[in-house]
Amino acid sequence: MTSTLDLQWFAERLTDASVKGIAGVTAGLIREGQIPVGTHLPSVRDLAEALGISPATVSAAWGQLKKQKVIAGKGRSGVWVCGDNVTPRPVRFEKIGNYGDNIRADLAMASPDPALLPDLHQAMQQGVQCPQLNSYQRDPISQPLLEAVKPGWPYSAEAWLATDGGFDAMNCIMQTLFSPGEKVIIEDPTATRLLDMLDNVGAEIMPLACDEQGPLPGALELLLNKGATALIYQPSTHSATGHNVSKARSEELAKVLTGRRTLIVEDDGIGELSAHPVWSLGRYFPERTLHVHSYSKAYGPDLRLAVLSGPLPLIKRIQSWRNFGASWTSRILQQAVAWMLTDPATQQQIQQAKRVYAQRRRLLLDALAKRGLLLSERDGLSIYIPVVSEQFAMITLAARGIAVLPGERCRSGGGQFIRVSIAMLASEQVESIAEALLLACGHEARSTLSDL
């Protein structure tokens, strides 16, 4: 039997009438059992009137709790408590990998092939020679790593910070600089975990359409005019589509951003495995650009290392937030990566890995083209394939023992697609996988993909 929560009792407990305050107190009352599962909450209008605030504030708070699957409902039926597990979790990311026990080709995760990663033995020996080893000094970045990354950095940055991987850097940025309800522009599609992070901080996601050269300037301008305060995009090889931002497109985006105060966040997740240069908007707006470069895919995921650059005031704020936890990234790992960045043998291994990934990508594209499915030659560790129905594609492929990533995990709008990893694609499987992908696309997709 359901009941309706007493408005006065509830309002008296909401002493902080902000989005964060309302969501936090409500979650706490649900977790403690003071608001049981099944209880109807007061209407947005009634609660806003009782608190003397805008209905939009209450709606934003409810939006946060809905994303955490704590409350449900909308419209005239109102909202009700549907669960008491209020621990934030990356819902989209955690769904990846649940494909059953009959998978013979797992092409869902665009992870690097361990056989193509550099040998870490010498690097780790260099790492333990770090001069500040075992110091509790909270340096943002070690001097050897800074000196190693600066020559190849895509713009002249003011301040630097080593982090525990690219997604750690992105999470630090969002936790530190974004507020609930803040309007954030992000490419559509994008990396799955970035959408989870935005949901977690309660930001309003504004999908930005892209083409072969990156974000569309006209679409960006329209979203900026709607009050967006930040832009997140991938300036190098895109993790979902494989496109790259061209120099010309970067210049066009810079024109749209001129005269505005928009925070620019660049997430370069593929790093040195990209076949193209990075045209950072930091060249134009160093005072409001944060650039993240991950070394995981090229040098090794267990190194857990990325470098973040940006204006000093913002880097200081992010570093202060990190002091709640680890405070600094292992100097052993920083020293190891610094050595690898200047080691000729390591650099040769990375170039070889790029060639092998390109060959594997080409093998699959050729096999698909042979069957009439023509796709653009892009970059990265995966292939982007538009489909008529993601659900049909996933079922069709799973029945044949093939797992891929459905587009729903990394899009907030846009058309349906699947992402197929080529990182560990075995040559003997290419023909059968291509045949299955052709079936998964659907009849309509086959006749139109050559135009995309």
Side-chain angles (χ1 to χ4, degrees), residues 159-177:
W160 310 76
L161 179 66
T163 66
D164 299 335
F167 284 123
D168 176 58
M170 294 300 294
N171 191 45
C172 287
I173 290 169
M174 294 189 204
Q175 292 289 341
T176 308
L177 305 179

Side-chain angles (χ1 to χ4, degrees), residues 373-438:
L373 186 55
L374 304 177
L375 297 170
S376 300
E377 174 71 63
R378 297 189 180 182
D379 192 20
L381 302 182
S382 58
I383 292 176
Y384 167 91
I385 305 180
V387 296
V388 174
S389 165
E390 289 176 15
Q391 184 179 21
F392 173 79
M394 297 298 292
I395 292 171
T396 301
L397 292 169
R400 289 158 177 79
I402 300 170
V404 299
L405 185 75
E408 66 168 345
R409 306 278 166 83
C410 42
R411 61 178 166 84
S412 43
Q416 301 209 12
F417 70 93
I418 55 175
R419 190 193 72 179
V420 183
S421 172
I422 54 84
M424 289 183 275
L425 184 65
S427 57
E428 62 272 15
Q429 292 182 307
V430 169
E431 295 298 325
S432 61
I433 288 171
E435 195 65 38
L437 289 172
L438 191 69

Side-chain angles (χ1 to χ4, degrees), residues 50 142 194 217 221 274 276 309 328 331 370 398 439:
S142 71
L194 297 184
E221 187 166 21
S274 175
H276 304 273
S309 71
W328 75 89
R331 282 181 287 263
K370 210 166 53 173
L439 293 171

Side-chain angles (χ1 to χ4, degrees), residues 1 50 68 137 150 159 161 175-176 254 267 297 322 342 366:
M1 181 176 176
Q68 296 174 12
Q137 186 173 338
K150 265 189 171 182
L161 179 66
Q175 292 289 341
T176 308
D267 176 26
K297 284 187 168 60
R322 290 192 85 206
T342 56
D366 287 346

